[in-house]
Amino acid sequence: MIDRIVSELGPWNWMVLGFVLLVVEVIAPGFFMLWIGIAALIVGAVSLLIWDATIWSWQIQVLAFLVLSLVSAFVGKTLMGGHDQPSDQPLLNRRGAQLVGKMATLAEPIKDGRGRIKLGDTLWRVSGPDLPAGTQVRVTSAADTDLELTVERV
């Protein structure tokens, strides 16, 4: 069945698929269908050149399309991928890291290495040496998850 459809449409089946994928990319942009559409157009162009070759069966065409899709998606990601440019606000979404160096008073004592401080309108969990409530502390670091700050006595 597939062999009959492929032979009836000839090499234009890949061209049609490529243009359909490019139209899908225009309708729902995301730079992914673009690369798969380009792969289909390349297979279509090769099919126009060597359609009558015995080796160019529909199975080989599909295999070539799959390989070219992967290669073009990788090349596209490399070309269009995220260019790591330094941010002018590297701590924008890292509230805990923004607090490093701030002074605060312990709202709850640090017992067994854990306690709480109040900075602004937020109570923060802290770790550090055991200290009584009301002690002045300085934030020395923040965990990667911003869930806990490390403090030291001032």
Side-chain angles (χ1 to χ4, degrees):
M1 180 174 119
I2 292 176
D3 193 24
R4 184 179 56 83
I5 293 171
V6 169
S7 64
E8 284 178 10
L9 289 174
W12 294 102
N13 58 4
W14 292 109
M15 297 293 195
V16 169
L17 176 64
F19 286 119
V20 166
L21 290 170
L22 293 178
V23 167
V24 167
E25 179 67 33
V26 169
I27 293 171
F31 281 118
F32 186 72
M33 292 296 172
L34 172 70
W35 308 113
I36 298 174
I38 289 171
L41 291 174
I42 292 171
V43 172
V46 171
S47 293
L48 284 172
L49 297 174
I50 61 170
W51 183 253
D52 292 330
T54 55
I55 194 170
W56 197 243
S57 65
W58 70 267
Q59 295 94 339
I60 299 297
Q61 292 175 35
V62 170
L63 184 63
F65 170 67
L66 293 174
V67 169
L68 282 173
S69 293
L70 291 174
V71 169
S72 65
F74 176 74
V75 169
K77 181 174 177 10
T78 303
L79 291 176
M80 302 293 190
H83 300 288
D84 293 333
Q85 296 176 352
S87 172
D88 60 338
Q89 296 181 6
L91 302 177
L92 180 63
N93 291 321
R94 298 178 52 213
R95 285 190 61 206
Q98 293 174 4
L99 300 174
V100 172
K102 300 271 185 188
M103 306 284 281
T105 303
L106 284 175
E108 297 175 11
I110 299 179
K111 292 181 183 173
D112 298 325
R114 302 279 189 254
R116 291 188 185 269
I117 60 171
K118 185 167 186 168
L119 284 168
D121 61 349
T122 306
L123 275 176
W124 290 85
R125 287 188 313 178
V126 295
S127 63
D130 289 352
L131 298 168
T135 305
Q136 283 287 106
V137 293
R138 179 190 338 266
V139 178
T140 58
S141 67
D144 288 337
T145 58
D146 283 347
L147 297 177
E148 186 171 273
L149 304 173
T150 304
V151 295
E152 66 181 15
R153 177 181 236 152
V154 177

